[in-house]
Amino acid sequence: LRVGWVLEGSVRYDPAVGGPGRVRVSPRLIRVRDDTSVWSDRFDRSLVDIFEVQAEISARVVEAVGLSLLPGEKSRLEASPTTDLLAYGHYLEGLEHGRRSQERKDLLAAVASFEAAVARDPEFVEAQARLSRVLLFLRWMHYDDTAEILEKARKAVAAVVRAGPETPEAQVSLGFLLYYAESDWEGARKHFEQALRVDPTNGSAIIGSAFVVRRLGRWADSAAL
């Protein structure tokens, strides 16, 4: 894969009756060129601290490979997507269903999981964004062209925009809304490009841009993206 570093490790979870349980994360950073382990550690924490553990591991990895984070990248690294672990569990289930296939049953399962996540935490921006996208894709891919689906998608996009209209998440959500619901290629392109100006490595904005420029007949640009 032509990568310089590999991060591997294990996660062990010890559930507790009536409590969040504990988690042990044992990461190891390996330099590929000589198969050397340059950093490893073990984190034993309460499960409620899992986002702090993720941020700490990420920061240590960045330090070990000699990179510097921009202020915006550092803020995103330290941010917790939600304070509700059950909502986060539903979110992860939604990702799994959505990545399994483009079949209607898997998309509907993803919708149900993301809806469960935002029902527990309406301010869970990533879950709202994923919910809107799966609903729009369900409508696009399987012709579930109902007013209810579109209304749910618009409501989820509005929640993302309220949380931060200039954030990449908001711009990507608006882009996919224009793409899938309005067939407004040029409008969608502007939102994806705005997201990439803030976060040039945003995978959702990159693939959205590829979809758009393909629709505009710019085949080479689409292939490059």
Side-chain angles (χ1 to χ4, degrees):
L1 297 177
R2 300 179 183 177
V3 298
W5 306 86
V6 170
L7 181 67
E8 65 176 19
S10 63
V11 180
R12 298 183 65 181
Y13 171 53
D14 182 20
V17 177
R22 296 192 64 80
V23 64
R24 171 179 291 175
V25 184
S26 304
R28 187 163 73 107
L29 181 66
I30 301 167
R31 188 169 53 215
V32 171
R33 70 171 183 266
D34 53 8
D35 199 29
T36 298
S37 176
V38 298
W39 171 75
S40 64
D41 208 336
R42 191 178 78 183
F43 299 82
D44 290 292
R45 304 284 176 83
S46 168
L47 191 61
V48 297
D49 299 324
I50 190 61
F51 298 123
E52 293 178 13
V53 173
Q54 290 180 3
E56 187 173 345
I57 291 172
S58 300
R60 296 286 295 278
V61 168
V62 167
E63 180 182 357
V65 300
L67 298 176
S68 297
L69 294 177
L70 298 173
E73 293 172 328
K74 190 172 187 296
S75 298
R76 286 195 295 272
L77 188 67
E78 295 172 347
S80 297
T82 177
T83 58
D84 189 315
L85 288 177
L86 289 178
Y88 192 63
H90 289 308
Y91 169 76
L92 295 178
E93 290 170 354
L95 293 180
E96 173 63 20
H97 289 305
R99 290 167 177 165
R100 187 168 293 155
S101 79
Q102 294 182 351
E103 294 183 17
R104 192 170 186 275
K105 62 181 179 62
D106 287 326
L107 296 178
L108 287 173
V111 167
S113 294
F114 290 136
E115 286 184 331
V118 300
R120 291 194 60 90
D121 182 2
E123 305 303 315
F124 189 172
V125 172
E126 292 178 20
Q128 293 279 20
R130 290 285 180 174
L131 174 60
S132 70
R133 197 178 314 171
V134 174
L135 286 166
L136 290 166
F137 190 70
L138 181 68
R139 181 176 178 270
W140 175 276
M141 190 74 178
H142 296 281
Y143 305 101
D144 288 18
D145 193 8
T146 66
E148 181 184 9
I149 284 182
L150 188 54
E151 179 59 28
K152 284 183 177 180
R154 291 188 186 279
K155 184 178 178 181
V157 171
V160 178
V161 173
R162 279 198 306 273
E166 302 304 321
T167 61
E169 292 80 9
Q171 293 300 311
V172 167
S173 296
L174 289 167
F176 279 115
L177 180 64
L178 291 179
Y179 184 90
Y180 286 126
E182 309 291 344
S183 297
D184 181 356
W185 320 130
E186 190 58 35
R189 182 187 64 81
K190 291 177 181 178
H191 284 296
F192 292 136
E193 288 185 351
Q194 176 60 29
L196 289 171
R197 279 193 284 271
V198 178
D199 179 10
T201 62
N202 188 295
S204 297
I206 292 171
I207 196 64
S209 297
F211 292 167
V212 165
V213 296
R214 182 184 61 191
R215 291 281 173 182
L216 296 173
R218 292 160 47 188
W219 299 99
D221 290 340
S222 181
L225 286 164

